């Protein structure tokens, strides 16, 4: 992510009261899945759901 994208991400997160680290982690996770298997991202949504459930507990 370049500095302009990072700045935009932080602005959007601030507007919606979301910790930007959460979205950075999710974006990184999606990129990892994209690099592994371009056609199918088996398990991606399950991992995203588990992360969000974990974050909402704390």
């Amino acid at each position: 992510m370049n500095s302009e994208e990072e700045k935009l991400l932080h602005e959007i997160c601030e507007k919606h009261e979301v910790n930007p680290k959460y979205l950075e982690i999710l974006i990184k996770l999606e990129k990892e899945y994209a690099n592994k298997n371009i056609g199918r991202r088996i398990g991606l949504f399950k991992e995203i759901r588990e992360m969000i459930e974990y974050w909402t507990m704390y």
Side-chain angles (χ1 to χ4, degrees):
M1 186 177 315
N2 66 39
S3 62
E4 187 176 318
E5 293 169 332
E6 192 171 314
K7 182 182 176 193
L8 179 60
L9 175 69
H10 283 265
E11 288 173 7
I12 292 168
C13 287
E14 185 177 318
K15 179 181 177 181
H16 295 282
E17 299 179 4
V18 174
N19 185 335
K21 275 290 178 201
Y22 294 157
L23 289 181
E24 290 170 6
I25 291 169
L26 294 175
I27 290 168
K28 181 180 175 186
L29 177 66
E30 196 281 331
K31 285 182 180 181
E32 288 173 4
Y33 270 82
N35 290 337
K36 288 180 190 175
N37 188 347
I38 294 172
R40 299 178 71 199
R41 293 179 173 97
I42 297 171
L44 173 63
F45 295 115
K46 180 179 183 245
E47 257 189 271
I48 289 173
R49 183 178 57 249
E50 289 171 356
M51 286 182 167
I52 292 172
E53 287 173 357
Y54 176 78
W55 292 332
T56 57
M57 294 173 70
Y58 299 97

